[in-house]
Amino acid sequence: MDKLPQEIVDIIVFFANSNEQGNQYHMHGPNAKHLARQLVTVSKKFQRAIECDTFKVLHLDLDRARDARNILSRFSRWSHLRLLEFTAILPDYDEVACTRYENAAEKAENSRVFTENITELFHLLSQCPVACASRPVVLRVEIYSKTDRICVSHSLQGRVTQKETHAKPVSGDIRRWRWKRSKLQLDESVRLASIKHLNIPVFQMQRRPLLFRHVAADSIMRLMSAMPPSLKFTVNRFSDTEKNDLAHRIAHREDIANAIDSLPELISPYFHVEYLPPLDHNFQPPVLHNHDTQSDSVSCAIRRLTQRCRRVSITGVLGSTELFWPNVNSAPDPYWHSLEFLDIWYHPITPGGKWLFGLDPFLHFGSARMQARDLYPRPEPVEGRADEDRQACQFRYTAIQQLMDEFYIAAARAAANMPKLKRLALVVTHQPSWRIDGAPLHHFEFRAYKDNHASITWTSSPRFTPSQAVIDAWMRVSRIRGLSMRVRLTGRPFNDRGNTRYVDPTDDDSDSVHEEEEDEEEYDEGDDKEDEGDE
């Protein structure tokens, strides 16, 4: 057996470690362990192949991480690791606790356990020898309690399943709302072990939205600052859910901005800001500007982040022109040397306290009034809701021309300083929304193609027609880039939650919308370069 090339041995182990359908799985069950014990004794080459497969992907929690210290230190097993998924398991809670928000003692205990888990994770990673640290390792961190209504079972390493944790539904269970007002905080007195010598190109934190626990922004900042310089891609989630204390929310948004600014020079970050607009559209959003600068710190931090990345994807932010251009003139102008792809899903609200959308004059107002139970499958308890969420009154579905023109002009001004930009997607995310056909409420996309052609497309219902100033701003982008630009305006029908079909009343031929599913207007201004000398 020692005469077999290592590549052949690796293939043998690969097929031995596959089920009858040919789908690879990791050796977690008793049968797989028995097979591994048999093969590992055949020769040193089989031992190497088995260990390479066994330690390539590890799923650990606090207890398993402590056991892994000694196991990984033997026979250079660290060199086999490619993916480490660590689960911080928070304390269990009883059925009575399912019916209320977390109290102060529970919040403190969860933060203590979270700190203990993260400290152990960093201590484990710091044990990796420098000789084994050159190969890339993807790091993922999940956080949940095993008594969450839906949680991940890890009784067998890597076998991910969903299960109901209680024997029967708990009357009055508020589910995820239980921890929506809580934030996990790293103990400031704890110093994380250094892992700067590792090659961790990808760090993903809480990829599963159903299990999303809020981590304080300053704690996320500490985690990111502890990451090695090899980090290129990251997934983070921030909480902007405070609605009952405006001063606290503004202060926390400053923490979010600082956390975003602390991100290193990444290739492709993704982050999500959890926030829900007022359920009652009669309420005006609060003003969130910094009192000293009169700017939105989060929007400015996002703009600075995009200036040092190649691909950025962001969801849940507010619709601010400062995402693209500062409100106050400053020198030099912002410039995006490397940015190629930018996707932003934003709420139809500005940090200055304005709605970007207003009443749709073409729809019957009553059709937009929905009960909270229709908009939220499991709404927050009434006693915990902010005033703006106490009743559902949804009617803001038509873009306000002036505000959206300003938004798109700022985006075009920035795009003119993005020499490598290939795609810019700006999508209104409206949650809760009574449109369930999957169509975006309002969608803009710029695309640049290899043949020096480009397009800008607005898709919305009712159909949005940008002003000539917006078109001119984007034509300037095409002239600077030497692109032939095509403009497309698209309206489409949509369904409400009662599955009633509505057609965009602004379309001249509504029947064609039913038949074609889209009604497009497009024209080409790419060859219109008469004013190029004026730039």
Side-chain angles (χ1 to χ4, degrees):
M1 284 295 182
D2 284 336
K3 295 181 179 180
L4 285 175
Q6 185 66 55
E7 294 81 4
I8 301 298
V9 175
D10 292 342
I11 293 173
I12 293 173
V13 171
F14 173 83
F15 282 104
N17 194 25
S18 302
N19 60 18
E20 58 273 14
Q21 283 80 31
N23 296 322
Q24 186 180 11
Y25 66 92
H26 297 288
M27 295 188 177
H28 309 303
N31 293 333
K33 291 181 179 179
H34 177 69
L35 177 61
R37 284 195 296 267
Q38 289 182 320
L39 291 178
V40 78
T41 59
V42 173
S43 69
K44 290 184 178 180
K45 291 183 177 179
F46 271 87
Q47 178 182 349
R48 182 187 183 283
I50 290 292
E51 290 193 348
C52 181
D53 186 83
T54 302
F55 296 101
K56 180 167 58 178
V57 178
L58 293 180
H59 299 262
L60 305 177
D61 57 17
L62 182 62
D63 294 333
R64 296 172 68 93
R66 290 166 174 165
D67 295 338
R69 292 185 197 172
N70 295 328
I71 297 174
L72 288 172
S73 64
R74 302 173 188 169
F75 311 114
S76 301
R77 287 168 176 162
W78 276 106
S79 62
H80 304 312
L81 185 61
R82 295 294 174 271
L83 169 62
L84 174 57
E85 182 168 304
F86 182 87
T87 302
I89 301 178
L90 303 179
D92 296 350
Y93 51 91
D94 58 24
E95 294 187 358
V96 174
C98 292
T99 63
R100 57 170 173 77
Y101 297 104
E102 289 181 345
N103 57 37
E106 290 168 331
K107 293 177 183 178
E109 178 62 11
N110 285 341
S111 291
R112 185 196 67 79
V113 172
F114 173 67
T115 299
E116 182 182 17
N117 276 262
I118 296 300
T119 303
E120 180 61 34
L121 170 63
F122 273 70
H123 180 71
L124 171 66
L125 291 172
S126 69
Q127 303 300 307
C128 178
V130 176
C132 301
S134 61
R135 297 196 176 185
V137 176
V138 174
L139 178 60
R140 294 174 182 167
V141 175
E142 302 292 342
I143 308 167
Y144 64 87
S145 167
K146 286 189 285 187
T147 43
D148 290 345
R149 183 65 175 170
I150 299 176
C151 77
V152 175
S153 171
H154 66 110
S155 57
L156 295 176
Q157 179 185 355
R159 311 304 292 174
V160 178
T161 59
Q162 289 187 335
K163 69 172 185 177
E164 300 288 343
T165 56
H166 300 287
K168 58 183 179 180
V170 178
S171 177
D173 188 355
I174 64 174
R175 299 192 177 227
R176 284 175 287 167
W177 293 107
R178 168 175 160 74
W179 60 80
K180 286 298 181 182
R181 296 185 174 185
S182 307
K183 293 182 179 66
L184 297 170
Q185 186 81 48
L186 274 177
D187 190 335
E188 295 181 358
S189 65
V190 174
R191 183 177 180 180
L192 299 176
S194 175
I195 58 173
K196 296 290 187 180
H197 66 294
L198 296 181
N199 183 3
I200 301 180
V202 178
F203 172 58
Q204 298 172 315
M205 192 166 183
Q206 301 193 94
R207 297 177 304 130
R208 302 183 179 100
L210 285 178
L211 304 173
F212 173 37
R213 296 280 183 145
H214 297 155
V215 178
D218 57 343
S219 297
I220 294 178
M221 182 168 61
R222 284 187 62 192
L223 288 173
M224 296 308 303
S225 63
M227 288 290 123
S230 57
L231 186 66
K232 300 301 179 186
F233 175 81
T234 181
V235 174
N236 285 298
R237 297 180 181 274
F238 297 98
S239 168
D240 187 24
T241 56
E242 177 58 62
K243 291 190 173 186
N244 295 312
D245 187 337
L246 181 58
H248 178 75
R249 183 183 177 191
I250 293 175
H252 183 64
R253 286 178 63 84
E254 291 289 338
D255 291 338
I256 294 176
N258 292 334
I260 295 172
D261 279 331
S262 73
L263 294 175
E265 187 170 340
L266 302 167
I267 293 177
S268 180
Y270 164 80
F271 63 85
H272 168 75
V273 180
E274 182 171 358
Y275 168 74
L276 290 177
L279 193 61
D280 188 345
H281 285 184
N282 290 300
F283 272 77
Q284 285 298 120
V287 176
L288 301 173
H289 285 158
N290 181 288
H291 296 300
D292 297 327
T293 64
Q294 291 303 304
S295 294
D296 177 46
S297 55
V298 173
S299 300
C300 293
I302 291 172
R303 184 184 68 247
R304 291 189 291 267
L305 173 69
T306 60
Q307 289 180 252
R308 58 182 191 271
C309 300
R310 184 185 303 170
R311 178 192 295 263
V312 181
S313 183
I314 304 167
T315 60
V317 296
L318 304 184
S320 171
T321 57
E322 290 187 289
L323 292 168
F324 310 105
W325 207 263
N327 281 344
V328 180
N329 291 330
S330 59
D333 288 344
Y335 200 85
W336 291 258
H337 295 274
S338 305
L339 188 64
E340 297 179 5
F341 300 93
L342 177 58
D343 298 315
I344 298 179
W345 290 67
Y346 63 98
H347 293 292
I349 291 174
T350 73
K354 297 179 181 179
W355 284 95
L356 293 173
F357 284 64
L359 175 65
D360 188 337
F362 299 100
L363 294 181
H364 187 269
F365 183 77
S367 67
R369 297 181 64 91
M370 306 293 292
Q371 296 297 319
R373 63 177 179 272
D374 299 320
L375 294 163
Y376 287 124
R378 298 182 180 89
E380 184 176 16
V382 175
E383 65 274 11
R385 295 182 199 169
D387 290 341
E388 64 187 38
D389 295 328
R390 288 193 176 274
Q391 66 175 356
C393 186
Q394 303 252 305
F395 57 86
R396 295 183 180 273
Y397 298 112
T398 300
I400 297 175
Q401 189 76 44
Q402 180 181 350
L403 296 178
M404 293 308 297
D405 282 349
E406 293 173 356
F407 185 76
Y408 287 123
I409 289 174
R413 192 176 181 185
N417 285 0
M418 300 176 181
K420 296 183 179 180
L421 185 65
K422 298 178 182 178
R423 186 188 73 233
L424 169 63
L426 305 174
V427 185
V428 172
T429 175
H430 206 287
Q431 294 177 336
S433 172
W434 57 285
R435 300 183 177 187
I436 61 171
D437 65 342
L441 177 70
H442 191 90
H443 183 189
F444 166 83
E445 185 175 64
F446 163 83
R447 279 187 177 272
Y449 306 98
K450 294 181 179 179
D451 58 357
N452 289 330
H453 282 72
S455 65
I456 51 176
T457 305
W458 279 271
T459 303
S460 59
S461 182
R463 188 170 64 189
F464 173 76
T465 301
S467 68
Q468 189 59 46
V470 173
I471 299 298
D472 291 344
W474 282 99
M475 288 304 113
R476 179 175 177 270
V477 176
S478 70
R479 292 193 294 271
I480 292 175
R481 295 276 301 270
L483 301 172
S484 177
M485 183 79 82
R486 183 176 66 169
V487 182
R488 303 173 63 194
L489 307 179
T490 303
R492 61 183 298 174
F494 53 88
N495 298 337
D496 70 2
R497 285 188 175 270
N499 207 32
T500 301
R501 189 171 182 79
Y502 293 89
V503 178
D504 184 352
T506 60
D507 287 328
D508 295 331
D509 184 3
S510 60
D511 292 334
S512 66
V513 178
H514 277 284
E515 295 171 0
E516 301 295 332
E517 293 295 320
E518 289 187 343
D519 181 28
E520 295 187 358
E521 175 185 339
E522 63 179 62
Y523 50 94
D524 196 331
E525 297 193 20
D527 298 327
D528 182 11
K529 299 185 179 181
E530 300 173 347
D531 301 327
E532 187 170 1
D534 297 334
E535 298 299 329

